[in-house]
């Protein structure tokens, strides 16, 4: 659901490119866009983009998740930190410890050198919904009204009564953090901690906004639209930064928990769907063309003369779409042969005749 470019496209490789070639290609691009070498404004963002693509595609497990479930699959299973964490060894190999990757890496997450005040993040919101198998085929546009914490519109998130402003905190001189030194034996340790007077904000509200009581946020609701992609399966998918808002920080995520409803006619297994078709004993014996339902509508199939019970007929490409490509799974039709439970007199005579002729 995030509008990220395809990882393969970002690195300029294909789905079948082996991992050692992906590494070579990443090295080439990383050297070109490493912010130490490339001073253009987009280099940092681009470096992050290729690094993320590499972090996912270089890890066999994450690559598999991406191939099968796409971006939403990766977002639903891994945080940004999970994605980069496992590839850090590789990054160090490529850039060396002195290549500055650690500092770039930390800048991705708004932390520099571990000493500055960490940006606050709003909490995530879980939203549960169910979709039909037809929605899985076509994808679904969702428009929901979500109750959540939103930035206060009276004070624009500042927490100050309109017309008033914040004062710099005198305890920390507006730094939001205080240095404390402790001596232990021969050594003395300096630690940097968030200022307790201003709770790390660096400023103090003089007259709080009466609407949000100085919090800068309040309970509210927002209309949110997002796409459930075709091919979706049961699981959690992330809509980034549509969770609870936090003024001056990063909004939480909206986690969409999807359950695919059972279908009246079809059973789904991954990308394939299964369907049982009843036919009469006579049709199984003599053969016949029949019409069966598919996810798209109907399809004519031929029952061969002499078809045995539980014969499986495959309809190629009539299954569920792959989340990451245009290909679709298959539909499997199982032939269920009905044996008549009751015969009238005439039918009985005919079958007895048939039996005699077969002896
Ligand atoms: Zn302070
Ligand atoms: Zn307010």
């Amino acid at each position: 659901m995030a509008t990220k470019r395809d990882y393969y496209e970002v690195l300029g490789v294909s789905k079948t490119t082996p991992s050692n070639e992906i590494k070579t290609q990443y090295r080439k691009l990383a050297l070109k866009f490493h912010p130490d070498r490339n001073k253009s404004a987009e280099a940092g963002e681009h470096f992050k983009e290729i690094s993320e693509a590499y972090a996912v595609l270089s890890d066999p497990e994450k690559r598999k998740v991406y191939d099968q479930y796409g971006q939403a699959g990766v977002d639903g299973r891994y945080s940004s930190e999970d994605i980069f964490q496992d590839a850090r060894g590789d990054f160090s190999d490529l850039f060396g410890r002195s290549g500055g990757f650690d500092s770039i890496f930390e800048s991705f997450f708004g932390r520099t050198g571990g000493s500055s005040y960490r940006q606050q993040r709003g909490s995530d919101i879980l939203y549960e919904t169910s979709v039909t198998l037809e929605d899985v085929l076509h994808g679904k546009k969702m428009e929901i009204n979500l109750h959540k914490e939103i930035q206060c519109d009276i004070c624009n998130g500042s927490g100050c009564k309109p017309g008033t402003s914040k004062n710099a905190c005198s305890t920390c001189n507006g730094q939001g953090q205080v240095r404390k030194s402790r001596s232990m034996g021969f050594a003395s340790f300096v630690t940097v901690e968030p200022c307790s007077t201003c709770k790390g904000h660096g400023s103090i509200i003089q007259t709080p906004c009466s609407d949000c009581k100085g919090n800068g946020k309040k309970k509210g609701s927002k209309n949110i639209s997002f796409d459930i992609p075709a091919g979706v399966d049961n699981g959690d998918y992330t809509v980034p930064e549509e969770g609870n808002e936090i003024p001056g920080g990063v909004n939480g995520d909206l986690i969409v928990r999807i359950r695919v409803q059972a279908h009246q006619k079809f059973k789904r297994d991954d990308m394939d769907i299964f369907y049982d078709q009843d036919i009469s004993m006579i049709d199984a014996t003599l053969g016949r063309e029949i019409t069966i339902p598919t996810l798209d509508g109907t399809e004519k199939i031929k029952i061969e003369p002499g078809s045995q019970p539980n014969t499986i007929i495959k309809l190629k490409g009539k299954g569920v779409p792959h989340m990451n490509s245009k290909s679709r799974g298959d539909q499997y039709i199982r032939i269920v042969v009905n044996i008549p439970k009751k015969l009238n007199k005439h039918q009985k005579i005919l079958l007895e005749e048939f039996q005699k002729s077969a002896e």
Side-chain angles (χ1 to χ4, degrees), residues 169 171-172 176 195 197-198 202:
C169 171
T171 309
C172 62
C195 170
T197 310
C198 63

Side-chain angles (χ1 to χ4, degrees), residues 41-108:
E42 308 83 47
E45 259 316 295
H46 200 67
F47 182 72
K48 185 185 169 185
E49 192 182 30
I50 57 176
S51 300
E52 182 181 321
Y54 173 72
V56 171
L57 299 185
S58 63
D59 181 307
E61 196 184 311
K62 291 183 185 120
R63 186 174 179 177
K64 207 174 142 198
V65 168
Y66 184 69
D67 285 345
Q68 201 165 0
Y69 303 105
Q71 185 68 52
V74 172
D75 289 343
R77 283 172 180 75
Y78 307 106
S79 70
S80 303
E81 287 177 277
D82 293 337
I83 290 174
F84 286 102
Q85 202 57 43
D86 292 340
R88 281 188 86 164
D90 282 352
F91 290 133
S92 301
D93 289 349
L94 288 172
F95 305 110
R97 286 274 166 216
S98 61
F101 190 80
D102 274 5
S103 66
I104 295 162
F105 174 83
E106 276 165 356
S107 74
F108 289 171

Side-chain angles (χ1 to χ4, degrees), residues 40 112 141 214 328:
S40 74
T112 46
K141 247 195 159 35
R328 283 174 65 175

Side-chain angles (χ1 to χ4, degrees), residues 4 51 65 77 85 114 146 240 282 296 301 323:
K4 274 183 188 166
S51 300
V65 168
R77 283 172 180 75
Q85 202 57 43
L146 188 68
I282 307 300
D296 309 78
I301 60 166
M323 235 171 75

Side-chain angles (χ1 to χ4, degrees), residues 152-160 209-217:
C152 175
D153 53 344
I154 303 297
C155 61
N156 289 321
S158 72
C160 302
C209 163
S210 57
D211 206 51
C212 64
K213 312 278 181 289
N215 288 317
K217 57 180 185 176

